[in-house]
Amino acid sequence: MILILLAAAAAQPQAQTPKAWLEHVYAGYRSESFNPFDHPDRYFSPRLAAAIAEDARLAKGEVGYLDGDPICQCQDPDGLKARVQRVIAQGPNKATAQVSIGLT
């Protein structure tokens, strides 16, 4: 499966490239406790993080509109294996990436 992901450069240290940041994010999925929703400001743009928070608020503890992880496009990341294939910078604050996602 191919995932096109816009990565906000503001969420990454200046010395880190968008590719390195994405590789770091996907490496987090190796840990059973990793959940990008625990710290949405680290993984999502401010606008998307606000929409995720509003969705959770409106859902009142139930499953909201967002019914999965938009980074891995999955509900259960067990065995997730991702490979960042290509990253194209689109200005100083964002990039487009092509990521192959599969299972081990």
Side-chain angles (χ1 to χ4, degrees):
M1 170 170 45
I2 302 293
L3 169 70
I4 301 298
L5 177 70
L6 290 177
Q12 54 184 311
Q14 289 295 350
Q16 193 174 40
T17 66
K19 183 175 182 179
W21 183 80
L22 284 171
E23 288 170 344
H24 174 75
V25 170
Y26 283 106
Y29 284 95
R30 294 182 199 137
S31 170
E32 288 182 23
S33 64
F34 179 76
N35 182 349
F37 296 109
D38 289 343
H39 302 283
D41 56 310
R42 292 183 191 170
Y43 304 103
F44 306 111
S45 69
R47 186 173 162 192
L48 180 55
I52 290 168
E54 179 68 1
D55 182 52
R57 185 188 70 76
L58 292 172
K60 299 179 183 170
E62 299 295 324
V63 175
Y65 182 79
L66 182 61
D67 187 21
D69 182 335
I71 296 174
C72 67
Q73 294 188 350
C74 64
Q75 290 181 334
D76 182 2
D78 287 347
L80 177 81
K81 184 175 183 178
R83 192 177 106 207
V84 179
Q85 294 182 319
R86 187 171 71 161
V87 177
I88 300 168
Q90 295 184 324
N93 294 325
K94 67 180 177 177
T96 299
Q98 184 176 10
V99 180
S100 293
I101 298 176
L103 299 174
T104 57

